[in-house]
Amino acid sequence: MPLLRARLVASLIILCLAQLPTTAHARGEWFEGLDLDSSLASSELVLIARVTEVSEQRIVHGGKGESVSRQYKFKPLRTLKGVFARDSLSLTSDDLGQWGSLDGPSSIVKDQFRLLILGRSNVGYVVERIGNNRVNPGPLTDEKDPIIPAIQTLLATLNEHDRARKVTLLLNSLPEAKGAGAVSLLTALDHRSILAAQLPGIIAAIKPHLISDSPAVRTAAATTLQKIFEADYLHHDDLRKEGVALLVASLDRPETILNPRLAFIDAIGFAGVIDPKATAALSLKPRPATLAESATRIAAASRLQLPDLRPPADDFLDELSLDTPHDIELRIETAETHDRPDTAPRLLRRLKQKLATGLNAYTELEALGECPRDVAAPALLEAYKLGLDSREQLFFCLAATTLADPRLVPTLSDILESGQSDSRSSVINALLKIDTDDAAKAAQPHLAGEMDLGRKLELAAFLGRHKIPDGYPYAIEHMSEPNLRDLAITALAAIHDPKTINEARAIWKTSNDINWSSAAIRALGAVGDKDSIPPILAIAQDAKSPLAGSALLALADMAAPEALPPLRVALASRKPETANAAARAAAKLLLLPNTKDDPARDQLAALLADADAEPYARSAALEALIAINDPRLPAALQAAARDATLERSNLLQRVETVIAEKKIALKLP
């Protein structure tokens, strides 16, 4: 009988364990956070192959050190992108780009199936590199591994020039995806969340992955849902409520793996809707088993502004160990800062305790930068008097930059005078942000010692705005350098020295150099030399002149309406530099009276929407349309947001930011 009871208990335990994610899942999923979108786009050859041979050669260095070079031979089984015309492919461990990592070449063994995403080197193929990392997916089950349909979907998106259709392809494939394929599709969706948030069916496509057997998939699904909430600038309540309900239901499962739990709670915090069950899930009663989950709950409750949960959170911070890991501690402390005037004194008290114990106070200094300025600045000043080390001074400066409080200037000046090189740049940033006469006087003695010319010119302009002309020689000397010209011209305009006009005229007359002449014309415009308008206008009217762009910018600085006809010609130029200069000039010229119906406005909108135009010219057109507050902007932004040629570009980030700020509803299929 006891044996039967023991067997019954054992069977129940096995049954329960079968319902829970395994430890292997928790710690051994190579595809956690897998992002193949960029690597597939830039790859030359993508294939499924079987490892047929592994060999190695050991090399001894200096009689003591030993390194290993491995050679791998693969039999191609299925080519997904590109052409491979041979029976086998040989690659070295150097080609694969991984040395001794958990899933590097050292773990590649004979008869494994592998997905190879290859780019080109000067000698042949190498594993595709994204940033400083090389993409080396783990072993596949076979040549029909579940990741392959996802790879095919991602490759299909490369042929779509419309980003909305890319998202539709991802959504159609997502419900059936599993494992690594699901993670890669969810991550690709993250990159296009602003579009996904406005397409029907997005929640239904993510739903099955919130209850996947794989912790990595559950984490990716919750993270994607969070990105959808963040991107939903139109605040679709139905979408948010449905998403939160799914997240809460997922939390109700017997989840033992930490990462998915944290991702679920984080996403609830970003949803922006109050759900009674979600509120219960964020409570600190009872206390979670880990600090990470406690911190995540506190941060989510803070975002949702749930006052009922605040007292336990306050107690939690007061009871928190002084040597709590930085990332967890910062999350708790910054969650407490929002609209809480009492948080700064509590952070200062904790900071004093840390310093007295011999611990660093980086976290408290950083968190003070997020507190209301009126209470944070005095707390920072008191903290500084306690004797901060060089790294703590750096965090002091970062907080000062965020707060931009004039009361911090004397202390920032002291840090500059102390010669702490680690903090110098951060002190200057803070003074620039504060932007008062006293801040300029504190920075003035350090202009000559600034080694970076771009930074020196930025400082020169800052001082010039506050009637300190010390930076004039640097500005006039470096205005001919194309990469420094805008900074130098800005400095000259800020300093506005009377001798600039005569010097710039002399340079234009005698230099016989395009760069110097261009700079001189820009300088004359920046300081408002109206007498130079006729000769500058003559140059602007010659669209083929290499000085035409500079002439238009100078005329725009002087608000010369005569520049409008050549502006229209320049906006249609095939030269990206000319079109870029014209768009920048338009931001000022189209603010002049009687320009609301000027054809240049249509040209700017067309330039922004033109997929064949250079991104920097399109960017200038965007900023011009924003500056003149043109009604054509929404339609042009719509076109740019769907333009696949802009993916992974700064311009697209700016486009999406403006769309969200102006709450423009996208017209999607």
Side-chain angles (χ1 to χ4, degrees), residues 2-215:
L3 180 61
L4 180 61
R5 185 181 295 111
R7 286 177 176 173
L8 180 60
V9 171
S11 299
L12 288 172
I13 291 173
I14 291 171
L15 181 61
C16 290
L17 289 175
Q19 308 303 314
L20 299 176
T22 65
T23 301
H25 266 151
R27 302 178 63 184
E29 292 184 301
W30 62 266
F31 50 85
E32 185 169 4
L34 182 66
D35 184 355
L36 298 180
D37 201 20
S38 300
S39 57
L40 288 170
S42 56
S43 64
E44 296 289 340
L45 179 67
V46 179
L47 51 81
I48 308 298
R50 183 168 59 85
V51 183
T52 58
E53 186 179 319
V54 179
S55 60
E56 67 177 39
Q57 181 178 2
R58 295 182 178 273
I59 303 171
V60 178
H61 303 271
K64 297 182 180 180
E66 186 178 89
S67 64
V68 178
S69 177
R70 292 184 175 87
Q71 181 89 36
Y72 304 95
K73 184 175 286 188
F74 299 90
K75 178 177 177 56
L77 301 174
R78 188 173 179 184
T79 302
L80 302 177
K81 179 181 178 181
V83 174
F84 189 78
R86 286 171 282 140
D87 295 332
S88 65
L89 170 64
S90 294
L91 296 170
T92 66
S93 48
D94 188 46
D95 296 329
L96 294 173
Q98 303 280 345
W99 289 89
S101 64
L102 180 64
D103 187 44
S106 58
S107 67
I108 296 178
V109 297
K110 187 177 178 181
D111 293 328
Q112 276 184 344
F113 292 87
R114 287 278 176 163
L115 169 67
L116 297 176
I117 302 175
L118 304 173
R120 293 192 186 277
S121 70
N122 59 341
V123 295
Y125 292 115
V126 292
V127 169
E128 183 61 24
R129 183 183 294 273
I130 299 299
N132 292 322
N133 302 313
R134 290 188 179 179
V135 180
N136 188 20
L140 308 183
T141 54
D142 52 36
E143 59 185 298
K144 297 181 180 179
D145 190 273
I147 196 176
I148 295 174
I151 298 293
Q152 291 173 318
T153 296
L154 291 171
L155 290 172
T157 65
L158 300 180
N159 296 320
E160 287 291 349
H161 60 82
D162 187 328
R163 296 179 68 232
R165 287 203 285 268
K166 287 177 183 277
V167 175
T168 300
L169 283 173
L170 295 172
L171 288 183
N172 291 341
S173 300
L174 195 53
E176 303 302 321
K178 300 183 183 301
V183 173
S184 60
L185 292 179
L186 286 163
T187 307
L189 207 55
D190 283 356
H191 301 161
R192 305 166 179 95
S193 54
I194 195 170
L195 300 171
Q198 297 186 44
L199 281 173
I202 179 63
I203 300 296
I206 295 173
K207 178 179 179 179
H209 302 295
L210 290 169
I211 55 173
S212 166
D213 291 336
S214 162

Side-chain angles (χ1 to χ4, degrees), residues 319-339:
E319 298 166 6
L320 194 63
S321 170
L322 293 178
D323 57 354
T324 299
H326 172 79
D327 56 338
I328 293 175
E329 185 178 41
L330 182 63
R331 197 148 206 222
I332 294 170
E333 292 182 354
T334 52
E336 288 291 287
T337 61
H338 301 297
D339 302 320

Side-chain angles (χ1 to χ4, degrees), residues 396-608:
F396 175 96
C397 296
L398 294 174
T401 303
T402 304
L403 296 173
D405 192 302
R407 289 172 290 181
L408 300 171
V409 169
T411 303
L412 291 167
S413 181
D414 288 345
I415 297 175
L416 264 184
E417 295 301 329
S418 71
Q420 290 283 358
S421 59
D422 292 345
S423 302
R424 176 189 171 87
S425 179
S426 296
V427 173
I428 297 297
N429 283 340
L431 293 173
L432 287 169
K433 186 78 176 293
I434 293 170
D435 199 17
T436 62
D437 288 348
D438 286 340
K441 289 175 183 176
Q444 181 182 7
H446 304 278
L447 174 64
E450 178 57 58
M451 301 301 291
D452 181 88
L453 283 174
R455 185 69 154 181
K456 189 185 288 285
L457 292 170
E458 186 180 9
L459 268 174
F462 171 49
L463 298 179
R465 288 197 303 273
H466 295 279
K467 312 302 181 186
I468 301 173
D470 295 19
Y472 179 82
Y474 306 117
I476 200 77
E477 288 174 7
H478 293 286
M479 66 179 185
S480 70
E481 299 178 43
N483 61 320
L484 297 175
R485 183 170 300 149
D486 285 338
L487 290 170
I489 297 302
T490 300
L492 288 173
I495 296 167
H496 217 285
D497 193 304
K499 64 177 176 286
T500 303
I501 291 178
N502 288 335
E503 290 200 12
R505 286 178 179 176
I507 291 169
W508 185 10
K509 183 177 180 180
T510 63
S511 70
N512 296 315
D513 179 87
I514 294 295
N515 283 328
W516 274 111
S517 296
S518 177
I521 290 170
R522 291 285 308 279
L524 291 169
V527 297
D529 180 23
K530 300 285 188 179
D531 292 339
S532 294
I533 287 180
I536 294 176
L537 179 61
I539 293 173
Q541 290 169 337
D542 180 4
K544 295 182 179 179
S545 170
L547 299 175
S550 294
L552 281 171
L553 289 168
L555 293 168
D557 285 338
M558 293 186 283
E562 305 95 317
L564 286 168
L567 174 73
R568 300 178 199 118
V569 175
L571 282 171
S573 174
R574 295 180 182 178
K575 291 183 179 180
E577 298 85 356
T578 303
N580 174 59
R584 291 174 59 192
K588 296 179 179 179
L589 290 172
L590 293 178
L591 288 174
L592 295 174
N594 304 316
T595 59
K596 286 189 176 181
D597 296 319
D598 195 287
R601 291 174 177 260
D602 290 322
Q603 290 178 285
L604 283 174
L607 179 57
L608 173 56

